[in-house]
Coordinates of all heavy atoms in Angstrom, one line a residue:
A22 N -98.4 153.5 205.0 CA -99.1 154.7 205.5 C -98.9 155.9 204.5 O -99.9 156.6 204.2 CB -98.6 155.2 206.9
L23 N -97.7 156.0 203.9 CA -97.5 157.1 202.9 C -98.3 156.8 201.6 O -98.9 157.7 201.0 CB -96.0 157.2 202.6 CG -95.2 157.8 203.8 CD1 -93.7 157.6 203.5 CD2 -95.5 159.3 203.9
A24 N -98.3 155.5 201.3 CA -99.1 155.2 200.1 C -100.6 155.5 200.2 O -101.2 156.0 199.3 CB -98.9 153.7 199.7
R25 N -101.1 155.2 201.4 CA -102.5 155.5 201.7 C -102.7 157.0 201.6 O -103.7 157.5 201.1 CB -102.9 155.0 203.1 CG -104.2 155.4 203.6 CD -105.4 154.8 202.9 NE -105.3 153.3 203.1 CZ -105.9 152.7 204.1 NH1 -106.5 153.4 205.1 NH2 -105.8 151.4 204.2
F26 N -101.8 157.8 202.2 CA -101.9 159.3 202.1 C -102.0 159.8 200.7 O -102.8 160.6 200.3 CB -100.8 159.9 202.9 CG -100.8 161.4 202.8 CD1 -101.6 162.2 203.5 CD2 -99.9 162.0 201.8 CE1 -101.6 163.6 203.3 CE2 -99.8 163.4 201.7 CZ -100.7 164.2 202.4
Y27 N -101.0 159.3 199.9 CA -101.0 159.9 198.5 C -102.1 159.4 197.6 O -102.4 160.0 196.6 CB -99.6 159.6 197.9 CG -98.5 160.5 198.4 CD1 -97.5 160.0 199.3 CD2 -98.5 161.8 198.2 CE1 -96.5 160.8 199.8 CE2 -97.5 162.7 198.7 CZ -96.5 162.1 199.5 OH -95.5 163.0 200.0
K28 N -102.7 158.2 198.0 CA -103.8 157.7 197.2 C -105.1 158.3 197.6 O -105.9 158.6 196.7 CB -103.8 156.2 197.4 CG -104.9 155.5 196.6 CD -104.8 154.0 196.7 CE -105.9 153.3 195.9 NZ -105.8 151.8 196.0
T29 N -105.3 158.5 198.9 CA -106.6 159.0 199.4 C -106.6 160.3 200.1 O -107.7 160.9 200.3 CB -107.2 157.9 200.3 OG1 -106.4 157.9 201.6 CG2 -107.2 156.5 199.7
G30 N -105.4 160.8 200.5 CA -105.4 162.0 201.3 C -105.6 161.8 202.8 O -105.5 162.7 203.6
S31 N -105.8 160.5 203.2 CA -106.0 160.2 204.6 C -104.7 160.1 205.3 O -103.8 159.4 204.9 CB -106.8 158.9 204.7 OG -106.8 158.5 206.0
K32 N -104.6 160.7 206.5 CA -103.4 160.6 207.3 C -103.6 159.6 208.5 O -102.8 159.5 209.4 CB -103.1 162.0 207.9 CG -102.6 163.0 206.9 CD -102.3 164.3 207.5 CE -101.1 164.2 208.5 NZ -100.8 165.5 209.2
S33 N -104.6 158.8 208.4 CA -105.0 157.9 209.5 C -103.8 157.0 209.8 O -103.5 156.8 211.0 CB -106.3 157.2 209.3 OG -106.2 156.4 208.1
L34 N -103.3 156.3 208.8 CA -102.2 155.4 209.1 C -100.9 156.1 209.5 O -100.2 155.6 210.3 CB -101.9 154.5 207.8 CG -103.1 153.6 207.4 CD1 -102.6 152.7 206.2 CD2 -103.5 152.7 208.6
L35 N -100.7 157.3 209.0 CA -99.5 158.1 209.4 C -99.7 158.4 210.9 O -98.7 158.4 211.6 CB -99.4 159.3 208.5 CG -98.9 159.1 207.1 CD1 -99.0 160.4 206.3 CD2 -97.4 158.6 207.1
D36 N -100.9 158.8 211.3 CA -101.1 159.1 212.7 C -100.9 157.9 213.6 O -100.5 158.1 214.8 CB -102.5 159.7 212.9 CG -102.7 161.1 212.2 OD1 -101.6 161.7 211.9 OD2 -103.8 161.5 212.0
Q37 N -101.1 156.7 213.1 CA -101.0 155.5 213.9 C -99.6 154.9 213.8 O -99.3 153.9 214.4 CB -102.0 154.5 213.4 CG -103.4 154.8 213.6 CD -104.3 153.8 213.0 OE1 -104.3 152.6 213.4 NE2 -105.2 154.1 212.1
Y38 N -98.7 155.5 213.0 CA -97.4 154.9 212.7 C -96.6 154.6 214.0 O -96.2 153.4 214.1 CB -96.5 155.9 211.9 CG -95.1 155.5 211.8 CD1 -94.7 154.4 211.0 CD2 -94.1 156.1 212.5 CE1 -93.3 154.0 210.9 CE2 -92.7 155.7 212.4 CZ -92.4 154.7 211.6 OH -91.1 154.3 211.6
S39 N -96.5 155.5 214.9 CA -95.7 155.2 216.1 C -96.3 154.1 216.9 O -95.6 153.2 217.4 CB -95.6 156.5 216.9 OG -94.8 156.3 218.1
D40 N -97.6 154.2 217.2 CA -98.3 153.1 218.0 C -98.2 151.8 217.3 O -97.9 150.7 218.0 CB -99.8 153.5 218.2 CG -100.0 154.6 219.1 OD1 -99.0 155.0 219.9 OD2 -101.1 155.2 219.1
T41 N -98.3 151.7 216.0 CA -98.2 150.4 215.3 C -96.8 149.8 215.4 O -96.7 148.7 215.7 CB -98.6 150.6 213.8 OG1 -99.9 151.1 213.7 CG2 -98.5 149.3 213.0
C42 N -95.8 150.7 215.2 CA -94.4 150.2 215.3 C -94.0 149.8 216.7 O -93.4 148.8 216.9 CB -93.5 151.3 214.7 SG -93.5 151.5 212.9
L43 N -94.4 150.6 217.7 CA -94.0 150.4 219.0 C -94.6 149.1 219.6 O -93.9 148.5 220.4 CB -94.3 151.6 219.9 CG -93.4 152.8 219.7 CD1 -94.0 154.0 220.4 CD2 -92.0 152.5 220.2
R44 N -95.7 148.7 219.1 CA -96.3 147.4 219.6 C -95.4 146.3 219.3 O -95.1 145.4 220.1 CB -97.7 147.2 219.0 CG -98.4 146.0 219.5 CD -99.9 146.1 219.2 NE -100.6 144.9 219.8 CZ -101.1 143.9 219.1 NH1 -101.0 143.9 217.8 NH2 -101.7 142.9 219.7
R45 N -94.8 146.3 218.0 CA -93.9 145.3 217.6 C -92.5 145.5 218.3 O -91.8 144.6 218.7 CB -93.7 145.3 216.1 CG -92.8 144.2 215.6 CD -92.6 144.4 214.1 NE -92.0 143.2 213.5 CZ -92.6 142.1 213.1 NH1 -93.9 142.1 213.2 NH2 -92.0 141.1 212.5
V46 N -92.1 146.8 218.4 CA -90.8 147.1 219.0 C -90.6 146.5 220.4 O -89.6 145.9 220.7 CB -90.5 148.6 219.0 CG1 -89.4 149.0 219.9 CG2 -90.3 149.1 217.6
W47 N -91.7 146.7 221.2 CA -91.6 146.2 222.6 C -91.6 144.7 222.7 O -91.0 144.1 223.5 CB -92.6 146.9 223.4 CG -92.2 148.3 223.9 CD1 -92.8 149.5 223.4 CD2 -91.1 148.6 224.7 NE1 -92.1 150.5 224.0 CE2 -91.1 150.0 224.8 CE3 -90.2 147.9 225.4 CZ2 -90.1 150.7 225.6 CZ3 -89.3 148.5 226.2 CH2 -89.2 149.9 226.3
K48 N -92.4 144.1 221.8 CA -92.3 142.6 221.8 C -90.9 142.1 221.4 O -90.4 141.1 221.9 CB -93.4 142.1 220.8 CG -94.8 142.2 221.2 CD -95.7 141.7 220.1 CE -97.2 141.9 220.5 NZ -98.1 141.4 219.5
V49 N -90.3 142.8 220.4 CA -89.0 142.4 220.0 C -87.9 142.7 221.1 O -87.0 141.9 221.4 CB -88.6 143.1 218.7 CG1 -87.1 142.9 218.4 CG2 -89.4 142.5 217.5
Q50 N -88.1 143.8 221.8 CA -87.2 144.2 222.9 C -87.4 143.1 224.0 O -86.4 142.6 224.6 CB -87.6 145.5 223.5 CG -87.2 146.7 222.7 CD -85.7 147.0 222.7 OE1 -84.9 146.3 223.3 NE2 -85.3 148.0 222.0
R51 N -88.6 142.6 224.3 CA -88.8 141.6 225.3 C -88.1 140.3 224.9 O -87.4 139.7 225.7 CB -90.3 141.3 225.4 CG -90.6 140.3 226.5 CD -91.8 139.4 226.1 NE -91.6 138.6 225.0 CZ -91.1 137.4 225.0 NH1 -90.6 136.9 226.1 NH2 -90.9 136.7 223.9
F52 N -88.2 139.9 223.6 CA -87.5 138.7 223.2 C -86.0 138.8 223.2 O -85.3 137.9 223.7 CB -88.0 138.4 221.8 CG -87.3 137.2 221.2 CD1 -87.5 135.9 221.6 CD2 -86.4 137.3 220.1 CE1 -86.9 134.8 221.1 CE2 -85.8 136.3 219.6 CZ -86.0 135.0 220.1
S53 N -85.5 140.0 222.7 CA -84.0 140.1 222.7 C -83.5 140.2 224.1 O -82.4 139.6 224.4 CB -83.7 141.4 222.0 OG -84.1 141.3 220.6

């Protein structure tokens, strides 16, 4: 996300950071 920001100025991936990570986090929490 940071690489996209510094390359294009877009914050779209930074804005999605939490949602993107939490989707995996909760799957891993379920498994653990």
Side-chain angles (χ1 to χ4, degrees):
L23 289 167
R25 171 71 63 85
F26 171 81
Y27 284 112
K28 183 177 181 179
T29 69
S31 171
K32 293 180 63 181
S33 60
L34 294 186
L35 287 169
D36 292 340
Q37 295 176 59
Y38 169 75
S39 185
D40 288 343
T41 301
C42 289
L43 284 168
R44 186 162 182 250
R45 185 185 192 86
V46 165
W47 280 110
K48 289 178 182 177
V49 170
Q50 288 285 1
R51 183 211 66 83
F52 175 69
S53 298

